[in-house]
Amino acid sequence: MTGRVRVFLVDDHTLFRAGVRAELAESVEVVGEAGDVAEAIAGIEASRPDVVLLDVHLPGGGGAAVAAAVRERRPEVRFLALSVSDAAEDVIAVIRAGARGYVTKTIDRAGLVDAIARVAAGDAVFSPRLAGFVLDAFAHDPGEAPAVADPELDSLTPREQEVLRLIARGYTYKELARQLVISVKTVETHVSSVLRKLQLSSRHELTRWANDRRLL
Amino acid sequence: MPFSRGRRSPGWIDKAPGPPWRSRDDHVVTGLAGGTAEWLGISATLVRAVLAFVLVGSGFGVLAYVGAAILLPVADRSVPPDERAVRLPQGRDLERSGIALLVAFGGALLLRLVGVWLGGDLAWPAAVAAAGLSLVWGRTDVERRELWRSRLVRLPGDEAPDRGEVVRRRRSTVARFVAGTVLFVVGGSWVLAVARPETVVPVLAATTATTAGLALLAGPWIAGLWRELGEERRRRIRDQERAEVAAQLHDSVLQTLALIQRDPETPRRVAHLARQQERSLRRWLFTEEAPNPVDGEPDLADLPAPPTFGARLRMAAEEVEDATGAAVELVLVGDARADGRTDALVAAAREAMRNAAVHSGADEVSVFAEATSTSLTVFVRDRGSGFDPVLVPADRHGLRESVVGRLARVGGSATVASAPGEGTEVSMELIR
């Protein structure tokens, strides 16, 4: 990648945007910011960023609406979800709408810069929490016959589960690669594959699980 | 509820999907003709002319007009459909329904006066049958149609349908359908029983007419009542939610802010309070548990023990946070009912977390717990100083006894992986 990564901030809290902007100023180029869905869609269209830092909760439809709308027209724009949300269905919704990763707002500066670089390079970024959500969503309920439409998309391989468990345990990709004796590139491949399954799976469990959570 | 979605082109002014409406701006009496003209995209004068002809030509035309005027919502055409809220008939419209009933009764008496009365023995069964038919026929109101639509295709911005609401609506529809069918069958057989062959045609005509009349008259009145009930319930829920949020903000957030202002010179205390408040708010927002009372130090020991392994582990993590000031990030997959063995695992995990928070020098401890049908596993990891497991320093004896030993007594196992400068990870497993 030549030059600095162009980043667009979407968050309804002005204070938070200002904070992130100041934090990122020396590492990336912040090309714009927005506080709601419509503003974000227009702003992204106008400024053509590499990466959009996307808040999960936004007035006017949430981060998922922004990702879904932009992805149709500008598939090259990549999204990194950034949220304080503990609600799994919100996070999964944004990922399913096309975000390539999810980190919590408590992430430190270096971690955020690293996550942005990864997303810009086309990789997926899973925080421990997201890894936990995904494991939970794909967890098999032995009491229930699996209504699996596409076996390849609808379940995780043992290796992918292993990778996710290590991420959930707080391992970085590098530490994880060493632990499993594979390359960082292979770790990234596994994580991207999990992301793809998460986005494309029509897995009954996944939707049912999200729906159940929504009712809480 | 908007009439249509995603139609921002000027086309909306000519024609819009959904039922017709009464015009707010273009009206002579009720705006019905104006609204219908807008709906059809033709001249209002033409509609009025046809309407006048129908009204003069038939008594039921008048009833139909009054009925439609009650049934159809008033729409403000000066805003695009996406932002247009349908004004639902209520209050004044109920009065109007009453008036309409009186008008219908008067109309019936008038008809009798001029000799178009069908005779008491036929009118009553016909009325019963008609009432039944009108119940079945009903009126698919905008809201219900919208509900069905949202169940079939989910548009962005749709709220998740409330399952209870859907069930209630379905029940009311079924009940209405059954009651209507029963009435219709009873009334119909009654009519056939008393009818002589030469009166069948007028009876059929009367039935149809009465049906139309009743559908127009009773339908909107019931629909109006139903809507008012729904509106009332929505308002109550909204008020309740607002009160709850206000109470939560007052009890915890404002108090925490006050505490922070009183003691701003101690960053550690401020961070501690903020973290504690965040946790409490999170629990309130994302789970259904009661928030911690914030009065300086929450007394976690006083709370009753939650019933699951996961909840107890979370509590242990919070205790460690409160006691040490380190941030404990807990990721939990699955859950299990708590018992003596899981409590031993929680106690071991608490000790591992405390150890990491106190001795590693790291300000964050990652905890991952997974409950499957066959085992419970907990990993406690820090990125602190670490140590050489071969040269266990004296202060790590606690780890050996309180983690490894404690788990061994309930049939579990624990391993400690660490190296100087690379942090420590304690892995604990309990086979179920």
Side-chain angles (χ1 to χ4, degrees):
Chain A
M1 188 141 304
T2 55
R4 300 205 299 177
V5 179
R6 295 159 50 80
V7 174
F8 192 94
L9 304 177
V10 182
D11 196 296
D12 53 334
H13 295 103
T14 324
L15 217 60
F16 183 80
R17 289 206 305 262
V20 172
R21 194 185 255 272
E23 249 187 7
L24 293 179
E26 56 187 63
S27 320
V28 304
E29 189 187 341
V30 179
V31 293
E33 51 184 76
D36 63 44
V37 171
E39 212 181 296
I41 294 170
I44 293 165
E45 184 71 24
S47 61
R48 308 281 181 84
D50 300 315
V51 175
V52 177
L53 276 186
L54 187 61
D55 188 12
V56 171
H57 292 283
L58 273 184
V66 178
V70 172
R71 200 160 64 137
E72 261 177 38
R73 273 174 295 173
R74 304 245 167 263
E76 74 279 6
V77 175
R78 300 197 164 109
F79 289 90
L80 175 61
L82 188 65
S83 171
V84 293
S85 176
D86 261 2
E89 76 276 5
D90 296 339
V91 176
I92 299 284
V94 142
I95 297 287
R96 278 177 77 93
R100 296 200 58 82
Y102 162 72
V103 293
T104 43
K105 279 184 176 174
T106 48
I107 192 172
D108 60 8
R109 201 191 73 84
L112 184 57
V113 170
D114 180 57
I116 290 171
R118 267 178 203 289
V119 169
D123 292 328
V125 173
F126 277 29
S127 62
R129 203 181 291 280
L130 176 58
F133 289 159
V134 176
L135 279 170
D136 216 2
F138 278 97
H140 221 64
D141 187 351
E144 200 170 313
V148 173
D150 183 341
E152 200 271 314
L153 275 183
D154 291 346
S155 61
L156 301 176
T157 66
R159 195 56 149 182
E160 285 162 357
Q161 288 185 21
E162 212 170 354
V163 167
L164 283 179
R165 286 205 175 92
L166 284 169
I167 294 174
R169 279 158 68 178
Y171 282 64
T172 64
Y173 287 10
K174 206 189 279 174
E175 292 166 334
L176 206 160
R178 207 175 51 189
Q179 177 85 9
L180 297 179
V181 203
I182 53 180
S183 69
V184 171
K185 200 68 227 162
T186 312
V187 175
E188 280 164 359
T189 311
H190 284 307
V191 175
S192 293
S193 155
V194 172
L195 186 77
R196 191 177 64 92
K197 287 181 180 180
L198 202 57
Q199 286 170 350
L200 298 181
S201 175
S202 56
R203 189 181 150 89
H204 167 66
E205 290 288 306
L206 196 62
T207 29
R208 191 204 53 148
W209 174 84
N211 283 338
D212 285 354
R213 292 283 184 119
R214 197 180 290 277
L215 291 176
L216 282 181
Chain B
M1 205 146 297
F3 268 114
S4 71
R5 283 165 189 279
R7 269 168 149 264
R8 282 185 182 280
S9 67
W12 61 263
I13 198 83
D14 304 322
K15 210 166 188 285
W21 54 85
R22 282 188 282 138
S23 174
R24 200 193 64 162
D25 307 316
D26 183 12
H27 66 94
V28 173
V29 183
T30 63
L32 185 67
T36 309
E38 284 169 0
W39 185 62
L40 292 171
I42 57 175
S43 148
T45 315
L46 183 64
V47 176
R48 288 207 177 91
V50 173
L51 199 62
F53 181 74
V54 171
L55 289 186
V56 171
S58 146
F60 274 109
V62 179
L63 294 187
Y65 180 86
V66 174
I70 299 161
L71 263 164
L72 297 175
V74 173
D76 183 357
R77 308 301 294 161
S78 57
V79 292
D82 285 4
E83 287 133 40
R84 191 187 310 139
V86 174
R87 199 194 63 111
L88 300 171
Q90 17 170 287
R92 216 162 53 82
D93 298 293
L94 279 178
E95 275 172 41
R96 220 183 284 179
S97 302
I99 294 169
L101 270 172
L102 288 179
V103 170
F105 187 61
L109 287 180
L110 203 69
L111 285 174
R112 186 175 193 182
L113 211 67
V114 295
V116 200
W117 192 242
L118 291 158
D121 54 340
L122 277 182
W124 286 112
V128 171
L133 203 60
S134 68
L135 270 177
V136 175
W137 201 258
R139 172 177 121 76
T140 331
D141 61 85
V142 185
E143 272 182 51
R144 189 169 302 128
R145 210 174 309 144
E146 184 65 18
L147 186 79
W148 291 119
R149 202 271 306 143
S150 73
R151 283 160 59 88
L152 290 173
V153 248
R154 173 89 34 123
L155 293 178
D158 277 357
E159 283 170 26
D162 173 359
R163 191 170 285 174
E165 176 73 14
V166 172
V167 169
R168 268 194 301 284
R169 277 168 188 257
R170 199 182 300 140
R171 274 200 203 127
S172 103
T173 311
V174 170
R176 213 176 43 142
F177 184 79
V178 170
T181 310
V182 168
L183 279 181
F184 180 65
V185 170
V186 168
S189 4
W190 190 3
V191 166
L192 291 179
V194 295
R196 293 174 302 274
E198 67 270 21
T199 57
V200 164
V201 172
V203 164
L204 279 181
T207 308
T208 315
T210 323
T211 303
L214 276 174
L216 287 173
L217 289 170
W221 184 66
I222 294 166
L225 266 182
W226 177 254
R227 280 212 205 86
E228 255 184 22
L229 265 168
E231 183 58 38
E232 167 63 27
R233 202 184 52 220
R234 271 196 293 279
R235 203 176 304 131
R236 212 172 43 235
I237 292 172
R238 254 201 317 273
D239 285 352
Q240 209 174 322
E241 269 174 7
R242 196 175 300 134
E244 226 171 275
V245 171
Q248 172 68 14
L249 287 179
H250 178 259
D251 288 353
S252 56
V253 181
L254 293 182
Q255 284 200 45
T256 301
L257 288 175
L259 283 170
I260 287 175
Q261 283 175 45
R262 212 187 301 155
D263 198 7
E265 307 304 325
T266 343
R268 203 181 146 83
R269 169 117 182 101
V270 168
H272 179 69
L273 277 171
R275 178 107 188 136
Q276 197 175 297
Q277 181 53 57
E278 181 196 338
R279 217 165 48 210
S280 166
L281 258 185
R282 258 177 207 292
R283 193 178 308 152
W284 184 69
L285 283 172
F286 300 122
T287 70
E288 289 186 338
E289 290 170 53
N292 278 343
V294 172
D295 42 14
E297 298 296 324
D299 208 348
L300 286 165
D302 281 354
L303 297 173
T308 68
F309 160 71
R312 289 186 186 180
L313 186 64
R314 189 173 297 280
M315 229 166 102
E318 290 171 3
E319 279 171 33
V320 172
E321 277 194 342
D322 283 344
T324 64
V328 179
E329 293 294 337
L330 173 65
V331 174
L332 186 67
V333 173
D335 208 344
R337 189 176 296 281
D339 58 28
R341 294 179 75 221
T342 66
D343 280 351
L345 179 58
V346 170
R350 177 192 289 124
E351 199 50 43
M353 290 185 258
R354 205 190 59 80
N355 237 287
V358 173
H359 298 295
S360 75
D363 50 10
E364 191 182 307
V365 180
S366 304
V367 182
F368 171 60
E370 186 173 18
T372 66
S373 51
T374 53
S375 70
L376 299 175
T377 44
V378 180
F379 299 88
V380 176
R381 183 183 158 82
D382 66 68
R383 292 168 184 288
S385 51
F387 61 94
D388 187 340
V390 180
L391 311 163
V392 183
D395 65 328
R396 297 283 169 151
H397 278 298
L399 201 63
R400 183 176 293 164
E401 176 42 35
S402 56
V403 177
V404 183
R406 182 177 264 146
L407 268 176
R409 281 194 289 280
V410 294
S413 60
T415 53
V416 180
S418 185
E422 297 203 1
T424 305
E425 185 173 50
V426 182
S427 315
M428 289 156 274
E429 186 175 30
L430 193 63
I431 306 292
R432 298 176 84 178

